[in-house]
Amino acid sequence: MDFHTTENTAPASPDRLREILEAPGFGVHFTDHTAVIDWTAASGWTNARIEPYGPIPMDPAAAVLHYAQEVFEGLKAYRHDDDGVHTFRPYANAARINLSARRMALPELDEDVFVRSLEELVSVDKAWVPSREGDALYLRPFMYASEAFLGVRPAREVSYRVIASPAGNYFGGEVKPVRIWVSRDFTRAAPGGTGSAKTGGNYASSLAAQAQAAQMNCDQVLFLDPLHENAVEELGGMNVFLVTDDNTLITPQLTGTILEGVTRSSVIQLAKDRGMAVEERRITLDEWAKGIEQGTIVEAFACGTAAVITPIGELVDGETTISSPGAGNVTQGLREELLGIQRGTVEDRHGWLHRLA
Ligand SMILES: *Cc1c(COP(=O)(O)O)cnc(C)c1O
């Protein structure tokens, strides 16, 4: 599939771009172009193109606006010292957007076309890829039902797009342990639901819990398993790991209600490479709290593309606050190794990097 390029005739000026890259924030500035591919039930995927970034003309009856038939991805592109731009395990994201698409009755996209869309976009907007350590170009592929139709069935017209946004450190500044709110009023996913799909509705339904967390001065929400009392699932957009005093990494197993993070599976691999034991199993809050008290759980962290690896400092469960030990050697070591691979300063033993431009 060939992409047709229409260049933006009014791109950001060099001065403006420099200003943006000086303080990129997260998800507030967007590059000059976007990748687009259209799909219809009759013709399949057609009209792959790069066009100037701008508003999407959309019918008010577009199904996505009513029934949220939508999936998305998130990955980053890093500028290496040789000026090449690389991304991390893009075929894992390609496979996952198709897993999400199947669950949301959206069409699948060829994995090579998915990766090509990233290559094409990053090639025209290469100047937007930050070079400062810790910064990256965040890539956001997404697919949505564009058909104007209010009946409830899978849409027959769909669009796939990629937008890109320079990103600084997600939680800002240095790696400070986050404060986590344990949600008792809301759950995120149930068996048979959409928990393992990366779809906007999961995020929409997490916002009320996130607002409660913010009110309690917490950075993120920890969701629990609705069926098993006090079993830990994940944060709104990050997977959770505990480190024990006998060099074991523990993370909730994938049961269909947890989103399988690319960072999660990379962390599991890097931990095994270090000779750590890795257990994917049910973890309860009680085990976590008791482990901290007895000194058997020595570190806890959350991970995902946006914030990489972030130590968990406190767990707030109603009136109870449990102080977690925060960043230790394992959290720090895994974070540095992962960031180093992504940035091209640590050997890429597993062939995870893919050059985009
Ligand atoms: C995207 C996401 C993650 C993290 O996945 P990565 O591939 O590591 O970025 C974790 N949980 C949820 C709910 C997510 O949507």
Short mmCIF file of all heavy atoms in Angstrom, two decimals, residues 72-75 93 96 138 188 195 197-199 202-203 234-239 257-265 303-306 308, ligand 1:
data_model
loop_
_atom_site.label_atom_id
_atom_site.label_comp_id
_atom_site.label_asym_id
_atom_site.label_seq_id
_atom_site.Cartn_x
_atom_site.Cartn_y
_atom_site.Cartn_z
N PHE A 72 -7.36 2.43 20.02
CA PHE A 72 -6.17 3.25 19.80
C PHE A 72 -4.91 2.53 20.27
O PHE A 72 -4.97 1.47 20.89
CB PHE A 72 -6.31 4.62 20.47
CG PHE A 72 -6.33 4.60 21.98
CD1 PHE A 72 -5.16 4.83 22.70
CD2 PHE A 72 -7.50 4.38 22.68
CE1 PHE A 72 -5.17 4.83 24.09
CE2 PHE A 72 -7.51 4.38 24.09
CZ PHE A 72 -6.35 4.60 24.79
N GLU A 73 -3.77 3.15 19.95
CA GLU A 73 -2.48 2.64 20.38
C GLU A 73 -1.63 3.80 20.88
O GLU A 73 -1.98 4.98 20.65
CB GLU A 73 -1.75 1.94 19.22
CG GLU A 73 -2.08 0.45 19.11
CD GLU A 73 -1.78 -0.26 20.43
OE1 GLU A 73 -0.80 0.09 21.09
OE2 GLU A 73 -2.55 -1.17 20.80
N GLY A 74 -0.53 3.50 21.52
CA GLY A 74 0.40 4.53 21.96
C GLY A 74 1.80 3.97 21.96
O GLY A 74 2.04 2.91 22.55
N LEU A 75 2.70 4.62 21.24
CA LEU A 75 4.10 4.22 21.27
C LEU A 75 4.97 5.45 21.02
O LEU A 75 4.42 6.51 20.72
CB LEU A 75 4.39 3.09 20.28
CG LEU A 75 4.23 3.24 18.77
CD1 LEU A 75 4.80 2.00 18.08
CD2 LEU A 75 2.79 3.38 18.35
N ASN A 93 2.46 -3.44 18.97
CA ASN A 93 1.32 -2.52 18.92
C ASN A 93 0.41 -2.85 17.74
O ASN A 93 -0.82 -2.73 17.84
CB ASN A 93 1.81 -1.07 18.82
CG ASN A 93 2.63 -0.68 20.03
OD1 ASN A 93 3.85 -0.85 20.05
ND2 ASN A 93 1.97 -0.19 21.07
N ARG A 96 -1.65 -5.68 18.73
CA ARG A 96 -2.62 -5.31 19.75
C ARG A 96 -3.77 -4.48 19.18
O ARG A 96 -4.91 -4.62 19.63
CB ARG A 96 -1.92 -4.58 20.90
CG ARG A 96 -2.83 -4.39 22.12
CD ARG A 96 -2.08 -3.88 23.33
NE ARG A 96 -1.57 -2.54 23.11
CZ ARG A 96 -0.74 -1.91 23.94
NH1 ARG A 96 -0.31 -2.54 25.03
NH2 ARG A 96 -0.32 -0.68 23.69
N TYR A 138 5.62 11.06 20.82
CA TYR A 138 4.56 10.09 21.13
C TYR A 138 3.70 9.89 19.90
O TYR A 138 3.22 10.87 19.30
CB TYR A 138 3.72 10.61 22.30
CG TYR A 138 2.66 9.65 22.76
CD1 TYR A 138 2.98 8.56 23.57
CD2 TYR A 138 1.33 9.83 22.38
CE1 TYR A 138 1.99 7.68 23.98
CE2 TYR A 138 0.34 8.94 22.78
CZ TYR A 138 0.69 7.87 23.59
OH TYR A 138 -0.28 6.98 24.00
N ARG A 188 -12.92 -1.33 36.57
CA ARG A 188 -12.51 -0.97 35.22
C ARG A 188 -12.99 -1.98 34.19
O ARG A 188 -13.32 -1.62 33.06
CB ARG A 188 -10.98 -0.88 35.20
CG ARG A 188 -10.41 -0.44 33.90
CD ARG A 188 -8.90 -0.54 33.87
NE ARG A 188 -8.51 -0.48 32.48
CZ ARG A 188 -8.45 -1.53 31.68
NH1 ARG A 188 -8.65 -2.73 32.15
NH2 ARG A 188 -8.16 -1.38 30.41
N GLY A 195 -11.81 -5.05 28.88
CA GLY A 195 -10.61 -4.68 29.63
C GLY A 195 -9.31 -4.92 28.90
O GLY A 195 -8.34 -4.19 29.09
N ALA A 197 -8.88 -4.75 25.67
CA ALA A 197 -8.83 -3.97 24.42
C ALA A 197 -8.45 -2.54 24.76
O ALA A 197 -8.88 -2.00 25.78
CB ALA A 197 -10.18 -4.00 23.72
N LYS A 198 -7.65 -1.93 23.90
CA LYS A 198 -7.29 -0.52 24.13
C LYS A 198 -8.33 0.32 23.43
O LYS A 198 -8.22 0.64 22.24
CB LYS A 198 -5.88 -0.24 23.60
CG LYS A 198 -5.13 0.78 24.41
CD LYS A 198 -3.65 0.80 24.09
CE LYS A 198 -2.95 1.92 24.79
NZ LYS A 198 -2.82 1.69 26.25
N THR A 199 -9.39 0.66 24.15
CA THR A 199 -10.52 1.37 23.57
C THR A 199 -10.90 2.54 24.47
O THR A 199 -10.80 2.45 25.71
CB THR A 199 -11.70 0.39 23.35
OG1 THR A 199 -12.77 1.09 22.73
CG2 THR A 199 -12.19 -0.24 24.65
N ASN A 202 -12.90 2.52 27.93
CA ASN A 202 -12.27 2.12 29.19
C ASN A 202 -11.73 3.34 29.92
O ASN A 202 -11.72 3.40 31.16
CB ASN A 202 -11.11 1.15 28.94
CG ASN A 202 -11.58 -0.21 28.46
OD1 ASN A 202 -12.75 -0.57 28.63
ND2 ASN A 202 -10.68 -0.97 27.86
N TYR A 203 -11.24 4.29 29.14
CA TYR A 203 -10.68 5.51 29.74
C TYR A 203 -11.81 6.43 30.21
O TYR A 203 -11.73 7.03 31.28
CB TYR A 203 -9.76 6.20 28.74
CG TYR A 203 -8.40 5.53 28.69
CD1 TYR A 203 -8.23 4.28 28.12
CD2 TYR A 203 -7.29 6.13 29.27
CE1 TYR A 203 -6.98 3.64 28.11
CE2 TYR A 203 -6.05 5.51 29.27
CZ TYR A 203 -5.90 4.27 28.68
OH TYR A 203 -4.69 3.64 28.69
N GLU A 234 -4.95 -3.33 37.69
CA GLU A 234 -3.96 -2.43 37.09
C GLU A 234 -4.38 -0.99 37.36
O GLU A 234 -5.45 -0.73 37.90
CB GLU A 234 -3.82 -2.68 35.60
CG GLU A 234 -5.10 -2.46 34.80
CD GLU A 234 -4.86 -2.51 33.29
OE1 GLU A 234 -3.85 -1.93 32.84
OE2 GLU A 234 -5.69 -3.09 32.58
N LEU A 235 -3.53 -0.05 36.95
CA LEU A 235 -3.92 1.35 37.02
C LEU A 235 -4.74 1.67 35.77
O LEU A 235 -4.88 0.85 34.88
CB LEU A 235 -2.68 2.24 37.09
CG LEU A 235 -1.66 1.91 38.19
CD1 LEU A 235 -0.58 2.98 38.23
CD2 LEU A 235 -2.33 1.81 39.57
N GLY A 236 -5.27 2.88 35.68
CA GLY A 236 -6.09 3.27 34.54
C GLY A 236 -5.38 3.07 33.20
O GLY A 236 -6.01 2.77 32.20
N GLY A 237 -4.07 3.24 33.19
CA GLY A 237 -3.33 3.10 31.94
C GLY A 237 -1.94 2.52 32.12
O GLY A 237 -1.07 2.70 31.28
N MET A 238 -1.74 1.81 33.24
CA MET A 238 -0.42 1.22 33.50
C MET A 238 -0.56 -0.11 34.23
O MET A 238 -1.46 -0.28 35.06
CB MET A 238 0.45 2.16 34.34
CG MET A 238 0.99 3.35 33.57
SD MET A 238 2.26 4.21 34.51
CE MET A 238 1.23 5.19 35.54
N ASN A 239 0.35 -1.03 33.95
CA ASN A 239 0.38 -2.31 34.65
C ASN A 239 1.22 -2.19 35.92
O ASN A 239 2.05 -1.29 36.05
CB ASN A 239 0.96 -3.39 33.73
CG ASN A 239 0.11 -3.62 32.48
OD1 ASN A 239 0.54 -3.39 31.36
ND2 ASN A 239 -1.12 -4.06 32.68
N THR A 257 -9.16 -9.25 31.62
CA THR A 257 -9.64 -7.96 32.13
C THR A 257 -8.52 -6.93 32.23
O THR A 257 -8.76 -5.76 32.49
CB THR A 257 -10.30 -8.12 33.52
OG1 THR A 257 -9.34 -8.71 34.40
CG2 THR A 257 -11.54 -8.99 33.44
N ILE A 258 -7.29 -7.40 32.03
CA ILE A 258 -6.13 -6.51 32.13
C ILE A 258 -5.59 -6.25 30.73
O ILE A 258 -5.60 -7.14 29.89
CB ILE A 258 -5.05 -7.16 33.02
CG1 ILE A 258 -5.54 -7.24 34.46
CG2 ILE A 258 -3.72 -6.43 32.94
CD1 ILE A 258 -4.61 -7.99 35.39
N LEU A 259 -5.15 -5.03 30.49
CA LEU A 259 -4.55 -4.68 29.20
C LEU A 259 -3.10 -5.18 29.22
O LEU A 259 -2.34 -4.86 30.13
CB LEU A 259 -4.60 -3.15 29.04
CG LEU A 259 -4.41 -2.47 27.69
CD1 LEU A 259 -2.97 -2.60 27.20
CD2 LEU A 259 -5.37 -2.98 26.63
N GLU A 260 -2.72 -5.94 28.20
CA GLU A 260 -1.35 -6.47 28.15
C GLU A 260 -0.41 -5.42 27.60
O GLU A 260 -0.33 -5.21 26.39
CB GLU A 260 -1.30 -7.74 27.29
CG GLU A 260 0.09 -8.35 27.26
CD GLU A 260 0.16 -9.67 26.51
OE1 GLU A 260 -0.84 -10.08 25.90
OE2 GLU A 260 1.24 -10.29 26.57
N GLY A 261 0.32 -4.76 28.47
CA GLY A 261 1.22 -3.69 28.06
C GLY A 261 2.45 -4.22 27.35
O GLY A 261 2.98 -5.27 27.73
N VAL A 262 2.92 -3.47 26.36
CA VAL A 262 4.19 -3.81 25.71
C VAL A 262 5.31 -3.59 26.73
O VAL A 262 6.28 -4.35 26.79
CB VAL A 262 4.41 -2.95 24.45
CG1 VAL A 262 5.76 -3.23 23.81
CG2 VAL A 262 3.27 -3.18 23.44
N THR A 263 5.17 -2.56 27.56
CA THR A 263 6.15 -2.32 28.61
C THR A 263 6.14 -3.48 29.61
O THR A 263 7.21 -3.96 30.01
CB THR A 263 5.85 -0.99 29.34
OG1 THR A 263 5.47 -0.01 28.39
CG2 THR A 263 7.06 -0.50 30.12
N ARG A 264 4.95 -3.95 29.97
CA ARG A 264 4.82 -5.09 30.88
C ARG A 264 5.60 -6.29 30.36
O ARG A 264 6.42 -6.87 31.08
CB ARG A 264 3.34 -5.45 31.04
CG ARG A 264 3.05 -6.67 31.90
CD ARG A 264 1.54 -7.01 31.82
NE ARG A 264 1.17 -8.11 32.71
CZ ARG A 264 1.29 -9.40 32.40
NH1 ARG A 264 1.82 -9.77 31.24
NH2 ARG A 264 0.92 -10.33 33.26
N SER A 265 5.38 -6.66 29.10
CA SER A 265 6.06 -7.87 28.62
C SER A 265 7.56 -7.62 28.46
O SER A 265 8.36 -8.54 28.65
CB SER A 265 5.42 -8.40 27.34
OG SER A 265 5.37 -7.41 26.37
N CYS A 303 4.00 0.53 35.15
CA CYS A 303 4.70 0.74 33.88
C CYS A 303 3.75 0.86 32.70
O CYS A 303 2.67 0.29 32.67
CB CYS A 303 5.72 -0.37 33.65
SG CYS A 303 5.01 -1.97 33.29
N GLY A 304 4.19 1.65 31.73
CA GLY A 304 3.44 1.87 30.49
C GLY A 304 4.28 2.76 29.59
O GLY A 304 5.25 3.36 30.05
N THR A 305 3.92 2.87 28.33
CA THR A 305 4.71 3.63 27.37
C THR A 305 4.90 5.09 27.79
O THR A 305 6.00 5.62 27.72
CB THR A 305 4.03 3.59 25.98
OG1 THR A 305 4.04 2.23 25.54
CG2 THR A 305 4.74 4.46 24.98
N ALA A 306 3.81 5.72 28.23
CA ALA A 306 3.87 7.15 28.50
C ALA A 306 4.86 7.48 29.62
O ALA A 306 5.73 8.33 29.46
CB ALA A 306 2.48 7.70 28.84
N VAL A 308 6.86 5.12 31.25
CA VAL A 308 7.90 4.09 31.30
C VAL A 308 7.75 3.26 32.58
O VAL A 308 6.87 2.42 32.66
CB VAL A 308 9.32 4.67 31.15
CG1 VAL A 308 10.33 3.57 30.81
CG2 VAL A 308 9.35 5.74 30.06
C1 LIG B 1 -1.91 1.23 27.19
C2 LIG B 1 -2.25 0.65 28.52
C3 LIG B 1 -1.26 0.07 29.34
C4 LIG B 1 0.20 0.09 29.04
O1 LIG B 1 0.53 -0.49 27.81
P1 LIG B 1 1.93 -0.18 27.13
O2 LIG B 1 1.89 -0.95 25.87
O3 LIG B 1 2.98 -0.65 28.05
O4 LIG B 1 1.98 1.28 26.91
C5 LIG B 1 -1.68 -0.51 30.54
N1 LIG B 1 -2.96 -0.50 30.91
C6 LIG B 1 -3.93 0.06 30.14
C7 LIG B 1 -5.33 0.04 30.62
C8 LIG B 1 -3.60 0.64 28.93
O5 LIG B 1 -4.56 1.21 28.19
#
